[in-house]
Amino acid sequence: MDSLLVRAKGLYVDRQRIALATVMIVFTVTFYVFYSPGIYTLVEGIPHQIQYGSVQGIEIVYSFNTIGFFLAFSIMVFAYAVWSWAFLPSPAVSYTLGVLKGIFGPSVKIKHGIGKRFSLTLDNGVDVNITCRIKGDGPEEWFMYRLESSKFESPDLEKIALRHGMSVSDGRLVTWVSNDELHSRTLLMGNAISMASM
Amino acid sequence: MSDDDTLRSVYELVQLMSSLNDTRRSILIALAHIYPRSVSGVQLSRLIGYSGKSRSLYRGVLAHLQENKMIMIDQLTPKLYAIRINNEHPLLMLLVDMCRKYGSKSKKIYEKSLEE
């Protein structure tokens, strides 16, 4: 693995730990905030057959406080999910940009968008979209990339894709690539694109 | 096929193989040698000397190889899969041919690891 990616991986793991620790603290604080001021229960007039202790328990669980607490907690989880979906550690970004510029030339336009996406426009007007996923499904594969070109009309597209180790979906060349294949297979994709757009 | 076409295919095959990472490359080479046999996931991980769980091969590596039509996976029972190389792939067809013609020694080694 490239040293930039090793650093990116370390950063990612560290940040996850920090995020987990923060969530634990915030969880405790919200718990305190939501249950300390007084219970606003939802149920009125619980039948008297039930013991008084149980009634109190039900009142606490079945209350506006619980609804508020769950709302606050789900916002926390949602924020964490968005955060981990949106950002790629910066060493990994510079690695990806470096590799792409190495293949398509330093003048190629690369847009790095939110959601770990890169989109580049080649000289011949073809777009390539690259999405990165951290902790891919495979063994020891920390960064996986999904390469996807724009649509082609070429009748040989299927054959070109096969000969470059890719597949065709909806008229686009697509493939999954692990971080150590990013350079070589993006190069092949460049070849395939120039053949398909002829 | 003329010589020029064959050379071009060999060139493309070399490029394709060198673009893949270690795990994927060794899977294709091993499967090409033992063609037309198909293997299970456990056998495959033994073939390529993979120490992790064979289940983890399916999710990342094998699924992507199958997506790119380099290998075929048939589900025999819910837990047992038969994995073989795609002999209709224009470049891997050539690899299989070469392995059958010149790779009998390696084939023996691969088959020995399957026997146990």
Side-chain angles (χ1 to χ4, degrees):
Chain A
M1 196 144 81
D2 192 271
S3 61
L4 276 176
L5 288 183
V6 175
R7 262 174 52 206
K9 178 183 163 186
L11 264 179
Y12 182 77
V13 173
D14 280 354
R15 282 182 196 166
Q16 270 203 320
R17 281 190 197 134
I18 293 170
L20 186 68
T22 321
V23 164
M24 278 159 78
I25 293 168
V26 176
F27 183 88
T28 326
V29 172
T30 19
F31 202 84
Y32 176 75
V33 167
F34 274 93
Y35 285 99
S36 55
I39 303 296
Y40 300 93
T41 186
L42 281 169
V43 274
E44 295 294 335
I46 292 173
H48 288 290
Q49 296 91 306
I50 307 173
Q51 282 181 359
Y52 184 63
S54 317
V55 173
Q56 261 191 331
I58 292 170
E59 276 177 345
I60 291 174
V61 173
Y62 201 67
S63 63
F64 283 112
N65 306 52
T66 310
I67 294 176
F69 176 70
F70 274 109
L71 269 179
F73 187 64
S74 50
I75 287 171
M76 269 185 261
V77 172
F78 181 71
Y80 173 72
V82 168
W83 171 77
S84 57
W85 165 80
F87 302 112
L88 189 62
S90 59
V93 173
S94 41
Y95 170 80
T96 313
L97 289 178
V99 168
L100 294 179
K101 286 197 169 154
I103 295 170
F104 298 109
S107 61
V108 70
K109 273 188 214 132
I110 304 178
K111 265 187 274 169
H112 174 212
I114 206 163
K116 307 196 207 76
R117 285 167 204 277
F118 299 85
S119 61
L120 44 115
T121 312
L122 307 185
D123 300 334
N124 52 10
V126 178
D127 291 322
V128 181
N129 288 311
I130 297 168
T131 318
C132 182
R133 191 199 277 175
I134 299 180
K135 250 182 173 170
D137 334 290
E140 310 101 41
E141 286 175 14
W142 254 84
F143 297 91
M144 294 289 294
Y145 294 90
R146 174 81 169 165
L147 308 182
E148 195 179 310
S149 73
S150 50
K151 281 191 179 180
F152 290 107
E153 303 282 316
S154 168
D156 298 332
L157 192 63
E158 192 85 26
K159 207 177 139 212
I160 292 171
L162 274 184
R163 291 183 92 95
H164 292 85
M166 287 161 201
S167 49
V168 177
S169 135
D170 192 22
R172 301 160 195 271
L173 296 168
V174 291
T175 190
W176 278 103
V177 161
S178 72
N179 53 266
D180 43 358
E181 296 172 337
L182 181 65
H183 183 266
S184 48
R185 296 191 74 182
T186 313
L187 198 100
L188 273 186
M189 183 161 220
N191 281 350
I193 285 172
S194 60
M195 280 173 81
S197 53
M198 257 197 298
Chain B
M1 216 196 278
S2 74
D3 270 3
D4 190 47
D5 282 346
T6 320
L7 265 186
R8 171 185 291 273
S9 296
V10 171
Y11 167 76
E12 285 180 345
L13 177 64
V14 170
Q15 268 215 323
L16 176 63
M17 295 304 280
S18 64
S19 76
L20 300 171
N21 69 7
D22 295 348
T23 321
R24 297 182 199 206
R25 194 161 50 222
S26 36
I27 288 175
L28 288 183
I29 294 278
L31 288 179
H33 273 99
I34 58 162
Y35 181 84
R37 265 183 86 160
S38 57
V39 290
S40 68
V42 179
Q43 282 175 320
L44 181 66
S45 51
R46 210 188 300 147
L47 269 183
I48 63 167
Y50 176 68
S51 60
K53 276 191 193 139
S54 66
R55 218 180 39 226
S56 67
L57 272 182
Y58 281 112
R59 276 196 319 246
V61 184
L62 293 180
H64 296 161
L65 281 176
Q66 187 188 27
E67 191 200 46
N68 296 333
K69 301 198 180 65
M70 298 196 221
I71 60 170
M72 326 254 267
I73 304 179
D74 300 314
Q75 190 168 12
L76 300 179
T77 69
K79 275 191 165 179
L80 189 65
Y81 294 87
I83 305 157
R84 65 200 155 88
I85 197 162
N86 179 10
N87 190 39
E88 273 147 38
H89 189 285
L91 299 177
L92 296 178
M93 191 163 63
L94 191 72
L95 180 69
V96 170
D97 282 349
M98 287 196 285
C99 288
R100 291 181 117 180
K101 210 164 176 187
Y102 308 112
S104 52
K105 294 249 168 25
S106 310
K107 187 180 178 179
K108 267 182 204 148
I109 297 174
Y110 280 124
E111 280 182 339
K112 207 175 262 172
S113 78
L114 286 180
E115 273 167 15
E116 291 144 40

